[in-house]
Structures are given as structure tokens and as C-alpha cells.
Amino acid sequence: MSDPLLEVSDLQKHYYERDSLLDTVLRRDPTAVQAVDGVSFEVREGETLGLVGESGCGKSTTGETVLRLREPTGGTVTFDGEDVADLSGDDLTAFRKRAGIVFQDPYGSLDPRMTAGEIVREPLDVHGVGTPDDREERVRDLLERVGLSADQFDRYPHEFSGGQQQRVGIARALALEPDFLVLDEPVSALDVSVQAQILNLLDDLQEEFGLTYLLIAHDLSVVRHVCDRVAVMYLGELVETGPVADIFERPQHPYTRALLESVPRPETAEADREITTLSGDVPSPRDPPSGCRFRTRCPAVIPPDDLDIDQSAFRAITDIRDHLDSGDLDADDVAAADEWRERVPDDVPPAAADALDDAFASLADNDEAAARERLRERFETVCERENPRLGDGEREAACHLVD
Amino acid sequence: MSDDLLRVRGLSTRFFTEEGQVNAVEDVSFTVRDGEVFGIVGESGSGKSVTALSLLDLVESPGRITDGEIWYRNPELADEYSGEFVDGDFVDVVRLPKRARRALRGPSFSMIFQDPMTSMDPSVTVGEQIAEAVEVQRRASANPRSTRSRTQGYGLGSLLLDSVVPTREYVSDESWARAVSLLEDVGIPDAKDRAREYPHEFSGGMLQRAMVAQALAGEPDLLVADEPTTALDVTIQAQILDLLREIQDERDTSIVLITHNLGVIARMADRIGVMYAGEVVERGTLADIFDDHVHPYTRGLVESVPDLDDPDARLDPIEGSVPSLLDAEMDDRCYFADRCPKAMEECLEDPAEFDAGDGGEHTAKCYLADREYDESRALADGHFDEEVGDGE
């Protein structure tokens, strides 16, 4: 196993809303958007680590914070033995040369007023690499290496197709001979046939220049194809890490499983494949659920030890509790309350039925607090009490089921 | 076999821009049957979205349908009109009077767009937007001569009227109730309360559900879904695909599903048309396209997708990029020939739509469907280099 080039430990990035005057007067604490909350991983020399997750899970913020394009709220990022946060002056410049980024939107990340040649030469000019003639030659080499022809050097970004624009972006990232690249959704804006060209190119470049990649992606088939190891992210936290084959063949975390199952496969048997879709949406990172952040959508929440109840009934009950807690369900709306009650199957164990009856009776008496408390006492699960931690082994899943 | 609902024959849609004529859709034919999902798959710029817009007569200037017929089965409509654009129960909607054509939007055809956030009016509540669609249908069926909806009113008069009469006045309680029940149908919890919220208060998946509800307001025979899940995450995508499947099963609605995602196509479609450079290059059942494809482009498309189960295989992409659709730059040849690994001399002439010869309705616009590949007639490498020039 090779040495880690990049080590990230307990990284946090919180965003705060601008306080209004009223907030200051009332001394209200600003609510933080916890975009990244305690993420730890390492990227080893020469490998590709895939950071996977759905939109809003914090994967791009992690990529940008690692490169110190954003200042972290907490935690440390160590690059080749040096703490990135401590770098300044010449050391920071040296770091900028060694670590680069390829962005998702190829057109948006290229200056429309510069030609392809100028775009690729800019980092060389900024860092004062070699003589002007050396730079010119290096630009030519780079653009040829990524598959553009000599007569395209003087063209502007809008004259290129999406795939060619992304090639220019890659050439620019390579200009300073970096060791490490963050690839932030490098192919998600491209058509499939072009996507494959760019993935093959990135693969070749990695081998040729001994690059280390952190690939940020939501497309699991791309991740499977390119990555050595994978880290799965959900709502600002890592939920599972491991070698790519393990993650794809033996996923342990219910979220990873659901994610893999949801990907439609391009094959004829797909039409008959059963998929258990995840219910609901991702909660807001402003107010993440207590305990395990995935529990509000999890198809495998652990019921209390002394309650023998099947998962769908338990899901219905936890949904009622979530709605009570968030204030969506209240005593005024009798019809809605009845509807929620009916979603729980009749064959739940007597202990559960009693608790539900009590709670809905309290609700009818306009005593929401009592209803909440009765349900909490009967149905509280380990998943809401404790946030499962991700160990630091080779193959980890942050889930109480795995412990 | 179920009956045909829609027969598209030789449809061409062109855009007359300042740079010249763009052949966005060229001689496209396909059939949609009752209760089936017909998938159109292709890359950006292949003309799949313009095909969708043409079906609903939503192509905007400088574009217009220049040729072709769209035969739609509707006995009532066929009774109402006579002439050469009526054939039994079928009516060619391209030749229908403008007003009648527009009246089909809603009760006959409706559309779901890619980006739910920009397709809804941010300043009107979700419930109201759906109720408005219901109201338009209700008034139209009560008085078929007046299909004017409130949103189609312009000018000073309607501006004044709008400021005096609040929006809700236009929507009757009945329509509102129907909107709420539609929202329930598409799986929105607490539909009664959520109907009063604005689009920005909905998540992407919920808003896409609301858009489906709006499209269902007129109980259409045909739902055209243009990349309905592209803007969504995979777990939400799975939910929306389930919903579309449910609608198809329960209401027997036919769906034209347009997407670039072959996985989505495989999951949903019964029959498929593959589009390239404005043409349908191959057409057939799911198995025809995925397992027995004839056209090298279809093959390239299927091979470019990374396989979840075979991670180590090197991807086999189609080299080059999509050709220009400017009429002046297009020859009369197979448009894929410059990227095709099996291009032959005959490919310099436009191929006909050949029967793939497996007994079904599988067709391909490629000489390989008609004859064996003959290496002695292969085009030399770089044959197109001069004229294409800027290919990747």
C-alpha cells in the first residue's frame, strides 16, 4: 500500500447566514448550514479516490476546501506531510503548483476572451515557469497531449464542443505538472460518447504522469470504472468507505445499497428489475436529524430491542414522529391525524398499538408534548440517539447495523 | 398488439436562423401505441427535444415544421372534420386549423419538461398553477369555441382586469379541489397544505411530481416527457420513474420518453428510436436496440456507457463529435459516416430506412442492415478530414 499524499481529518465547513440587525439585538445565534461535518479520509499516492453522493451532500465543498479554495471551519488537511492551513507565501505557491482542479462546467470555467493557448499558458505565466519560448512549447505539447490539433490553439472557448472544452480545462490543470488533481464532476456535463473519451484520457494521463486523483461524482458507473477506492457521502458526513469492488459488490450501509440499486442499468433485463425506492427527500443541512443522519429515509431503522415489529410498520411510526417533531402534524387537523394513524398497519404488537392510541388521544386533547413523549419513550431507536461513527479501517460503514 | 395512437410520418422541422437553415429534425417517422412507452434516445443536438416540441406544436420562430404528417387517433375529432387530413379515425394534426391544434394541448397531448424549477411560475402557488390547467380544460370542454385561458390575455384591458381581480378568482373551488387530488395522486404528502406553497418551497423531486400532476390535468392520451429525470438525483429519479410507470399502468396513457440516459430508456421503454443528427437512425424493440443493434452509432452509444458489472473493460467511445446541422454544411450522405468504423463507399449516399431482417419492425438507416460489410469498399482513413476539419 502506498503512502497517503493527502490526509483529511475531521474536516468541517459550515456556512453562516448574514445576521440581520434584529438577530444582533436579540442575540440570536446564527444557524449554521453544516455543508461538511467531520469528514476524514486519505488519498494515497497514484490512486483515484471517488467521493460519491447526491446533490447538496457536501462533496464539492469538500473538494474545494481540501485545495484551500475555501477556508475550513474545523479539522485539518495534510498534503504530503504539511498542514495546508498553515501554508503561506512561497509554500502556498508551491502547494498551488502541486495540487490543481478540473471543474464540472467546461464552458463556465474557461475565460471566453482568451484563446485555448492563452488559457493553458496563464498558470505558466503566473508562476513564471521558464522563458516565454519554453512556455509556448509546453502549451503546444499539453494541448496535443489532450487531443487537440495545432490549428485549434488560437480558437476561443465557444468555438469548441463540450468535450474539447473539457480537454482544454484538463490541459490547464496539467500545465504546472501537479501531483494531485481534484476532478469535480469532470464528465457530468458531457454526452455519453464524449464522456467515455474524457474518462479514457484521464486514465492515460494518470498513468503517464503518476497523478493522484480525488474524483467527485454522482454517477456511480463512472466511479466504478475509474476509482480504486470510494467514499460515500450523505448530508455532510461520510457513511461508507472501502475499495471500489467491495463497495459495489458488498455495500454495507443502507444508503450505499439504495444508491446502487437506484441506478438504471442499460440492459434489457432492466425493465423487470425490482427497485425499492427510498422514500422522501434529503433533510436540510441547516437542521440535520439527530443521531444517524440517514435515519429519516432509511429502510432498515433498528427498532427498540423489546419490540418485535416489521420494518414498514416501524417506518410509518417514525414518519409520524418526524412530522410531530417538525410541527407539520398538529391537533388542529383531525383529518390529517387520522390519515397518519391509518398508515400504520393494524397488526402491530399490542405494546406499539397502546402507545399509538395513547399518543393520538393526547393529540386529540391538544397535548402535543405528551403525544411526542409517549411515542419517544416507546419507539426511540439507537439510530436517533447515537450517530454511528466511521472507523478508520480500510473498509468501514457508519451504521449501527454493522457494529 | 394494441392499436396505434400516433403515427408520425416523415416529420421535418427546420430553423431558419441568420447563420442559415438548420435541419434539426429530418424525415422522422415512428409510431406510438396505446399505453406504451416509446423512448427516443440521443445525444445533445440530435433533435430529440425538437421532435417533442413538434408533436405539441410548440416549436417557436424561427423554427417550424416544414414537412411531414402526425396522424393522431381521435374518432370525435375525425367526425368533426373532413378532408384529406382525415383518414378513418385518424387526423393529421399538422394540417388542423391553428385553434383546433392548440385545443389538443391538455386533453390530447401534454408535456413534462426537464427542469421543474424554471418551468413553473415562481410567483404563483403550485396548487394554483395546477388548478389553472384544470380550469382551462373545464372551460374548454364547457365551451369548445373559447379556449382562451387567462394567461393568454395581453394588453391594457387584461392588465387592469388582473390587478382588480385576484388570481384565485379565475380558479373555481372545483378546480382547486381537483388540483389537490391530482397532487395526492402523484404522491405529494399533505397535498392540501403543500398546494398553497410556492415552487421554491418544493424540493426538485416534489416539484417534478407537481409538474406531472399539471400535465395530467387534462387527462391526456399522450404524455411527452422530455428528460424528466435529468435534473434529479438517482434516488429521486427512481421515484419519478416509478410514478410515470404507475400513470401508464393505471390511466393507460401512452408516453413518449426522451432522454440521453440509456439506463432510463432500458427501464421504461417498450420500443425505442435512436436519433442522430436529426434522424431516427435505428428503431425497434428494447431487445432490438440493446442486444441486436445494426447501426454502428447505436453500438457506439451502448458501448460508451461504463458497465457497473464489468469495471475493468476499457471504454470504447465513438471518436469525433456530432456534426453541424446547418443545411449548407450537410451533404446528402449518411451523417455518421465520418465517425463510423465501418464506413463504405455507398455511405456517401444517403441510406434508406432498411428492414433489419429479423421479422419484426426493427429498422436501421444504415447500409449494413441491407448488406454485409465489405472491407474492399471501406473508406480510407481520413476521407472526411478535409471537409470536416475540426473534428476531435
Side-chain angles (χ1 to χ4, degrees), chain B residues 328-370:
Chain B
E329 292 174 21
M330 291 178 104
D331 308 321
D332 207 14
R333 58 161 168 100
C334 168
Y335 300 134
F336 187 62
D338 59 319
R339 302 173 73 189
C340 183
K342 288 188 170 175
M344 297 183 287
E345 284 159 18
E346 44 265 64
C347 301
L348 298 176
E349 276 165 47
D350 191 22
E353 199 162 37
F354 293 108
D355 192 323
D358 42 17
E361 299 161 275
H362 185 186
T363 63
K365 218 168 150 32
C366 176
Y367 287 106
L368 291 176
D370 185 50

Side-chain angles (χ1 to χ4, degrees), chain A residues 113-340:
Chain A
R113 293 172 306 175
M114 288 164 82
T115 64
E118 285 166 356
I119 288 169
V120 178
R121 207 184 59 217
E122 194 180 28
L124 296 170
D125 292 343
V126 168
H127 286 268
V129 178
T131 65
D133 284 346
D134 291 348
R135 287 177 215 161
E136 203 61 34
E137 199 186 317
R138 174 121 182 89
V139 169
R140 231 156 259 284
D141 288 348
L142 280 165
L143 284 172
E144 257 162 38
R145 181 62 201 88
V146 298
L148 294 174
S149 57
D151 60 331
Q152 293 173 319
F153 293 6
D154 295 328
R155 294 203 188 171
Y156 290 90
H158 74 267
E159 296 175 85
F160 290 108
S161 68
Q164 290 168 327
Q165 286 165 5
Q166 196 58 296
R167 286 171 195 268
V168 175
I170 292 171
R172 173 176 61 186
L174 289 175
L176 296 166
E177 301 179 38
D179 300 315
F180 174 69
L181 284 183
V182 172
L183 308 171
D184 189 357
E185 303 265 15
V187 295
S188 63
L190 308 175
D191 278 319
V192 272
S193 71
V194 182
Q195 222 176 57
Q197 294 171 5
I198 298 292
L199 289 177
N200 282 342
L201 173 68
L202 288 168
D203 200 25
D204 294 342
L205 293 171
Q206 180 168 40
E207 206 162 302
E208 199 175 324
F209 300 110
L211 292 165
T212 304
Y213 290 151
L214 174 64
L215 176 80
I216 295 167
H218 70 279
D219 186 335
L220 290 161
S221 49
V222 168
V223 169
R224 164 109 231 216
H225 195 79
V226 182
C227 297
D228 301 304
R229 290 188 310 123
V230 179
V232 183
M233 227 175 149
Y234 184 78
L235 206 54
E237 296 183 335
L238 288 187
V239 296
E240 187 162 3
T241 57
V244 68
D246 285 351
I247 297 274
F248 279 79
E249 279 150 33
R250 290 175 294 282
Q252 291 181 334
H253 198 283
Y255 177 63
T256 315
R257 266 187 235 147
L259 208 55
L260 283 171
E261 209 175 294
S262 307
V263 181
R265 319 250 195 287
E267 58 199 24
T268 35
E270 173 64 20
D272 302 319
R273 194 170 61 96
E274 285 285 325
I275 297 183
T276 357
T277 50
L278 278 185
S279 60
D281 283 309
V282 185
S284 161
R286 218 174 285 267
D287 181 23
S290 66
C292 171
R293 291 190 172 178
F294 185 56
R295 70 172 168 88
T296 54
R297 300 172 78 198
C298 184
V301 183
I302 305 166
D305 286 339
D306 55 348
L307 195 66
D308 180 25
I309 188 169
D310 70 50
Q311 188 57 228
S312 65
F314 195 63
R315 174 86 269 161
I317 294 167
T318 27
D319 283 349
I320 292 176
R321 295 188 52 210
D322 289 341
H323 276 77
L324 266 175
D325 290 346
S326 63
D328 288 346
L329 179 60
D330 53 38
D332 305 334
D333 197 347
V334 184
D338 285 347
E339 199 182 300
W340 281 103

